[in-house]
Amino acid sequence: MSTLTKILILLLTVSSFILCGIVVTYVGTADNYRQKYDDLRADRDSLSKKVKSLNKQVNEKIDQAKQLEDKLNSEMTAMRVEIGEVQGQLKDAEREKAGLLQKVNSWASIVEDFSETNDKQGQLLKNTLEELNEVQAEQIKQRTQLDETTVALVEKMAIIETLEAEKRRLLEERTDLQSRLDEYLRPFGKAAVAAVPVTPDRAAARPAPMPIPAVKDIGLEGLVTAVDMKNSMAGISLGKVDGVKEGMKFHVTRGDEFLCDIVIIDVDAEEAVGVLDLVQQQPRIGDNVSTGL
Amino acid sequence: MSPDGQVGGGRAVASNNLYTAILALAVGAVAATAFFVVFMCHHQYGVYLKIP
């Protein structure tokens, strides 16, 4: 075997190993295109199904959207109508609000005036209450004085009654003594002289005579409302509102009979009190009084 | 068996067993590669030497 043959055998062997290695490496690392194809086709089929289902869903959604659009269009129409009505109501409400605001302003001014008036009235009431308190204090004081005066008057009246009883008793004794003296002196043709009291009689206390105004022209007529013979006083149903004044003289009559006169000493709004004068008969409640006979 | 080899009676006789073994290895490698390629084709595509 020649050397060239040997060299060729070696080269052939080496090249065979190299080529076989390259082929094995290539084939071993080559991609499995069939597997890839199958995977891609399965993906395509699934995607096609998905596309179909999605198209169906899209169509359904489009139908729903159309229905919703129709519904919303109808609602928008109704809402536009309602908006028109609400705008009309809003205008009415604004008009009413303006009127109410005007009323509120007027009421506010009225309330303010009323508050001022109320403050003034409150101040006036406070002043009046203070005056009332003062008057009540004065009234209490006067009532106390009146009570004291009443007590003193009762005591005086008791003393007067005692003195009158004593006077009656003395008068009876004097009459008795006078009769006995007359019996004693009658056989001698003499008579006893009437006894003159050491202390002259005093008239009952009465107010000082006052100038009597001309009242005949007034022509007042009324009734006796109260009689107090113990103090020789009487009340009548006429007062200041009728024109009665202190010092006026009223004639008391019962039918055509003259009873007495009443000289007014105190006048109230609708009644008056006076002292009895020229008493012919005792007046009673209900007798007529007048300024002219 | 001499290293130079001899031809006698019409029957081929290897002149050198070393290089014969080397050639056998090369042929075996090629055959193994071919078998591997065929196996891979059948395994992956189901055919041997044809476009599926």
Side-chain angles (χ1 to χ4, degrees):
Chain A
M1 179 180 291
S2 63
T3 305
L4 180 60
T5 303
K6 292 178 181 178
I7 292 169
L8 285 174
I9 288 171
L10 288 176
L11 287 174
L12 178 65
T13 304
V14 170
S15 61
S16 297
F17 281 129
I18 291 171
L19 286 173
C20 287
I22 292 170
V23 168
V24 168
T25 304
Y26 174 74
V27 170
T29 59
D31 293 331
N32 189 349
Y33 287 105
R34 186 177 180 183
Q35 184 70 34
K36 284 187 177 180
Y37 169 74
D38 292 337
D39 294 341
L40 287 174
R41 195 165 67 176
D43 291 342
R44 188 199 65 182
D45 293 339
S46 65
L47 287 174
S48 296
K49 288 180 181 176
K50 277 187 181 177
V51 166
K52 284 182 181 176
S53 65
L54 287 174
N55 282 331
K56 192 183 291 181
Q57 289 180 2
V58 166
N59 290 330
E60 290 176 355
K61 293 290 181 186
I62 287 171
D63 293 338
Q64 289 179 359
K66 281 184 180 177
Q67 292 177 358
L68 189 61
E69 186 180 359
D70 294 339
K71 186 179 177 183
L72 289 175
N73 283 330
S74 61
E75 287 183 358
M76 282 173 66
T77 305
M79 292 297 286
R80 283 196 187 98
V81 173
E82 193 173 351
I83 285 171
E85 293 176 356
V86 170
Q87 282 179 347
Q89 291 178 358
L90 179 64
K91 286 181 181 176
D92 294 340
E94 286 179 349
R95 232 177 287 129
E96 193 174 353
K97 178 187 169 187
L100 290 174
L101 281 175
Q102 194 171 355
K103 279 185 181 178
V104 166
N105 291 330
S106 62
W107 276 106
S109 60
I110 290 171
V111 167
E112 193 173 349
D113 295 340
F114 181 72
S115 297
E116 291 179 1
T117 308
N118 196 15
D119 292 339
K120 290 179 182 176
Q121 293 290 337
Q123 187 65 31
L124 191 62
L125 179 63
K126 196 181 290 182
N127 296 334
T128 306
L129 283 175
E130 290 176 358
E131 291 178 2
L132 179 64
N133 291 331
E134 293 176 357
V135 169
Q136 283 178 346
E138 185 70 23
Q139 186 182 10
I140 291 170
K141 193 185 296 180
Q142 288 181 356
R143 189 170 293 166
T144 306
Q145 291 178 357
L146 179 64
D147 292 339
E148 293 174 355
T149 307
T150 304
V151 170
L153 181 62
V154 169
E155 290 175 356
K156 298 286 185 188
M157 294 295 288
I159 293 170
I160 288 171
E161 284 182 2
T162 306
L163 291 174
E164 282 182 351
E166 184 69 19
K167 180 182 175 183
R168 280 195 296 273
R169 188 180 61 80
L170 290 173
L171 283 174
E172 289 173 357
E173 286 182 4
R174 191 187 74 173
T175 305
D176 187 30
L177 289 172
Q178 187 74 32
S179 60
R180 287 164 63 182
L181 184 60
D182 288 341
E183 288 176 0
Y184 179 73
L185 291 176
R186 193 172 295 136
F188 301 99
K190 293 181 181 179
V193 179
V196 178
V198 178
T199 304
D201 288 338
R202 288 184 181 177
R206 61 181 64 183
M210 301 173 72
I212 299 171
V215 294
K216 286 191 175 180
D217 295 335
I218 298 174
L220 295 176
E221 291 184 352
L223 297 173
V224 175
T225 58
V227 177
D228 184 5
M229 287 307 295
K230 192 178 290 184
N231 296 317
S232 298
M233 298 179 74
I236 62 173
S237 61
L238 301 173
K240 281 182 181 177
V241 295
D242 303 304
V244 177
K245 294 180 180 178
E246 291 182 1
M248 289 177 69
K249 181 181 282 187
F250 285 83
H251 309 294
V252 184
T253 57
R254 187 181 302 150
D256 295 330
E257 195 175 1
F258 173 78
L259 300 178
C260 63
D261 285 341
I262 297 176
V263 179
I264 301 299
I265 59 172
D266 190 16
V267 183
D268 278 341
E270 294 181 354
E271 60 181 6
V273 176
V275 178
L276 299 180
D277 193 12
L278 303 176
V279 179
Q280 302 297 319
Q281 291 186 27
Q282 182 175 347
R284 290 188 302 210
I285 295 172
D287 289 337
N288 296 320
V289 293
S290 62
T291 54
L293 289 175
Chain B
M1 185 179 286
S2 65
D4 297 330
Q6 291 180 350
V7 175
R11 182 170 169 257
V13 178
S15 58
N16 193 335
N17 290 330
L18 177 60
Y19 289 97
T20 301
I22 290 170
L23 279 174
L25 281 175
V27 170
V30 170
T33 301
F35 178 75
F36 178 71
V37 169
V38 169
F39 175 75
M40 290 299 289
C41 283
H42 180 71
H43 179 262
Q44 291 184 356
Y45 300 106
V47 294
Y48 296 110
L49 294 172
K50 192 174 73 175
I51 296 173

